[in-house]
Structures are given as structure tokens and as C-alpha cells.
Amino acid sequence: KLGITVDLNKAKGRELVEKLIGACDAIVENFTPRVLDNFGLSWQRVKELNPNAIMMRMPAFGLSGPWRDNTGFAQTMEQLSGLPWTTGHLDDQPRIPRGPCDPLAGMHSAFAFLVALAERAASGHGHHVESTMVESALNVAAEQLLEWSAYGNLMQREGNRSPLAAPQGLYPCAGGQPGMEQWLALSVANDEQWRALRSALGQPEWATRPALDTREGRRAHHDAIDERLREWTRRRTRTELVSELRALGIPASEVADPCRLLQTNPQFRARRYFEAPEHPVVGVLPLPSWPFRFASIDRWLRTPAPTLGQDNERVLSGILGLSADEIRSLQAEGVIGTRPRDL
């Protein structure tokens, strides 16, 4: 990615952007609709500047309707779509899922953009594409709507539990401290795994009750099972529990500390999932890369994120053909720059 700065409040800044539109394949933006409209950069204007351009707009609520000009963020979309209604524990308030609607909106828009590219190849002209954040979030929340409309089933928060497994949850192990627990993730998907877990527990009387022989019965007594399991896991180290349970065919894993995956996970290291470009300000910084591979690509992150206005000259000179004097003049007038004003 290349990073430039342009002050759109200045006429020369808007002229620069219009020249860039004329030289580019696509314009992608996620302001509220009124922002580009106020700068005169509507689809009609873009089409006049570049009939082959694809204009990808990503408003929160859409380019039409009574909420058109409302600002929205990931947390806004999560509330409106109902995602928090099923996030958290039933005895607690709904929990904000902490931002999945940002990448969801991006992935929906990327898909729509690829469709527009294919359409342009077929039609020979540009396209105006709209992909809203809230409608992308509703796609993910659709399960709740379907369950209610088809079966009258109001889905509820279940914490870490699942209708397909019991018991299932997170259990604290020995060696942790409050706020820094060593968590074990455990999921018993069938009766055979439950019998194996009973064996690991030492066949205690509470676990051999006939009421717990089926998944439905275990779900009905999930709270009591969890209390007993927590007593058991607190006396054992997580490493030994994971090894023992997996050997018995029971799905179990440590809950990884995401801040230390690079140091602790041999699979990610072997796959070279983390890459470390050198940034001019923060230095070498390990970052997650793309979750797919091309045989011809050794690494994805070949350059660090640009600093503010780092590529002004490269873009304005290389793409628009501005001279060094013209670029210096734009800097002097505050149309472009590499530092925020008054900083």
C-alpha cells in the first residue's frame, strides 16, 4: 500500500483526487455518504472522470433510506444485527463481540468488488457498487432469524456451550492466577467420549448416574457437571490434561495466549504465518500474514505500513507527472504534507 495525504477542503486537493480518479481502476471508500457528496465526488462525477472506474462504496447503513447519513462502527452493527444477543452467558448481559463486523464488511465488499471486476470485463464499462456494513452483519446473524421464523426458537446466550456437545466449556487448570488462568478447552461430542472422560475422572459416582449417559441428559445437568470438572482440572496441569484427554480421543486443547503464538506455536512458525517487515518508526514487528499461499510468493508483507504522506512524491510524480516544484508548492500551501497541521 502507498500512503498519501490530500486536503480535500482545498480546491487544489480536490483537483488532485480527481486526476487520480482518472488514472485509477477503482475508488474504494467507507465514509458516510454525505462526505464524498459534499466534495462533489458522486458516482456521476466519477463516471465523467473515468467511465471505466469501479466505485466501491461501503456506508454503514446504505446510500438511501432515513438512516443514510448516520455514522456507524463495528459495535453499532453488532447491536443492530442482534449478534450480542447470543454472545456471553445467559445469567449475564449481552456481550459486544468486539469488532467482527469490520472484517465482515471488508470481506463482503471484496467479494462484491470481484463481481464488479468480472462485470466490467464483460460489459466494457465501470460500475457503482454499494456494500453496507449493517447488511453484512445481518448475513452473519441470519441463524437467529431462521430459527425464530422457521421453528419459533428464540436463541439465547450459552457462553461456551453448544447444542452439539456436552459438556463443553473452558476449565481452569493448576498454575494459574486470577486474571491469568491456565484455561483448558474441552468438548465432549458423543457418548463414547463421555465414557472416556469418566474413565479419566476415575469413575466417580456423580459421573456414572444414568441421567448423564446421553447428550441431552448432560446438557440438562451442564452446570453441575461443570462444577465437578472445574474441581478436577484445578488440581492438574494443563499440559498433562491435554495430553491425557487427547490420548483418550477427547477433543481438548489449551487456550492459547494470542500475544505469544509466534513464540509458542511450532505450526505457525513452520508455516511462516508471521512475517516481520521493518517499520521506520517501530522497527521490526511480527505481523500475521495472509491465510493462503502461492507457490510463486515467498512472503506477503514485503513493505511495512507507510508513514503519513510517505508516498506523496512517488504517487503525484509517478502517476500524475507533477514536477518537484509543483510538489513543493503543494506542501507549502498545506494541500499535502507528512505531519498533521499544528503538530
Side-chain angles (χ1 to χ4, degrees):
K1 293 181 179 179
L2 304 179
I4 70 169
T5 54
V6 178
D7 188 346
L8 289 174
N9 289 304
K10 299 180 183 296
K12 289 185 178 180
R14 294 191 294 275
E15 290 174 12
L16 285 177
V17 170
E18 290 196 347
K19 288 178 181 178
L20 284 171
I21 289 172
C24 292
D25 285 317
I27 302 94
V28 181
E29 63 87 21
N30 69 336
F31 294 112
T32 55
R34 65 180 180 272
V35 174
L36 285 194
D37 291 348
N38 288 344
F39 288 124
L41 296 173
S42 63
W43 164 237
Q44 188 59 43
R45 179 56 177 158
V46 167
K47 192 162 55 172
E48 292 172 358
L49 296 166
N50 186 347
N52 292 318
I54 293 173
M55 188 175 190
M56 180 79 223
R57 305 195 68 176
M58 302 164 62
F61 301 103
L63 299 175
S64 60
W67 288 8
R68 175 185 185 273
D69 290 326
N70 288 357
T71 302
F73 303 93
Q75 287 83 357
T76 317
M77 306 310 146
E78 287 152 16
Q79 311 314 306
L80 284 166
S81 64
L83 286 175
W85 183 259
T86 57
T87 304
H89 296 276
L90 184 58
D91 59 353
D92 198 0
Q93 64 189 18
R95 293 292 175 181
I96 295 175
R98 297 194 66 180
C101 289
D102 277 333
L104 285 173
M107 292 304 296
H108 278 78
S109 298
F111 183 80
F113 183 78
L114 291 175
V115 173
L117 281 176
E119 283 292 314
R120 184 173 69 179
S123 66
H125 60 76
H127 294 283
H128 185 203
V129 186
E130 174 192 6
S131 181
T132 70
M133 284 190 75
V134 70
E135 289 164 12
S136 299
L138 284 168
N139 275 348
V140 177
E143 182 183 11
Q144 298 176 59
L145 302 176
L146 292 174
E147 282 286 334
W148 175 257
S149 58
Y151 308 113
N153 176 26
L154 178 62
M155 296 179 68
Q156 296 282 0
R157 296 180 293 287
E158 285 202 276
N160 295 304
R161 295 176 182 176
S162 166
L164 305 178
Q168 174 174 288
L170 303 180
Y171 304 92
C173 299
Q177 300 174 356
M180 294 292 290
E181 288 84 357
Q182 300 287 305
W183 294 104
L184 169 77
L186 173 68
S187 181
V188 175
N190 54 48
D191 297 341
E192 182 181 355
Q193 291 172 6
W194 170 246
R195 290 191 289 272
L197 180 59
R198 284 194 320 205
S199 175
L201 290 166
Q203 301 291 352
E205 182 179 354
W206 69 264
T208 58
R209 289 186 297 149
L212 305 183
D213 287 345
T214 65
R215 183 174 63 197
E216 291 74 16
R218 294 190 296 275
R219 275 182 58 79
H221 296 84
H222 213 308
D223 289 342
I225 294 173
D226 279 350
E227 185 176 349
R228 297 286 191 172
L229 286 178
R230 284 192 290 266
E231 292 175 0
W232 179 63
T233 59
R234 283 194 177 100
R235 299 193 298 267
R236 307 281 300 278
T237 68
R238 184 170 62 179
T239 301
E240 67 175 341
L241 277 174
V242 169
S243 177
E244 178 181 344
L245 293 172
R246 286 181 178 176
L248 292 171
I250 302 169
S253 178
E254 68 176 17
V255 178
D257 180 347
C259 299
R260 293 175 173 81
L261 283 178
L262 176 61
Q263 293 78 20
T264 60
N265 192 296
Q267 180 68 13
F268 286 132
R269 289 201 302 273
R271 294 279 298 169
R272 295 180 288 115
Y273 175 67
F274 288 95
E275 298 176 0
E278 185 168 359
H279 192 275
V281 177
V282 299
V284 176
L285 182 67
L287 297 170
S289 63
W290 290 109
F292 47 81
R293 291 277 180 260
F294 285 6
S296 57
I297 302 296
D298 178 58
R299 59 192 178 96
W300 291 113
L301 306 181
R302 284 163 282 185
T303 59
T307 57
L308 187 68
Q310 174 181 306
D311 302 298
N312 284 343
E313 184 173 351
R314 178 178 175 182
V315 171
L316 298 180
S317 176
I319 296 179
L320 299 186
L322 271 62
S323 68
D325 287 341
E326 288 174 311
I327 292 174
R328 280 193 294 271
S329 177
L330 290 170
Q331 290 174 334
E333 295 176 42
V335 177
I336 62 174
T338 55
R339 293 175 66 86
R341 187 177 301 151
D342 301 325
L343 182 64

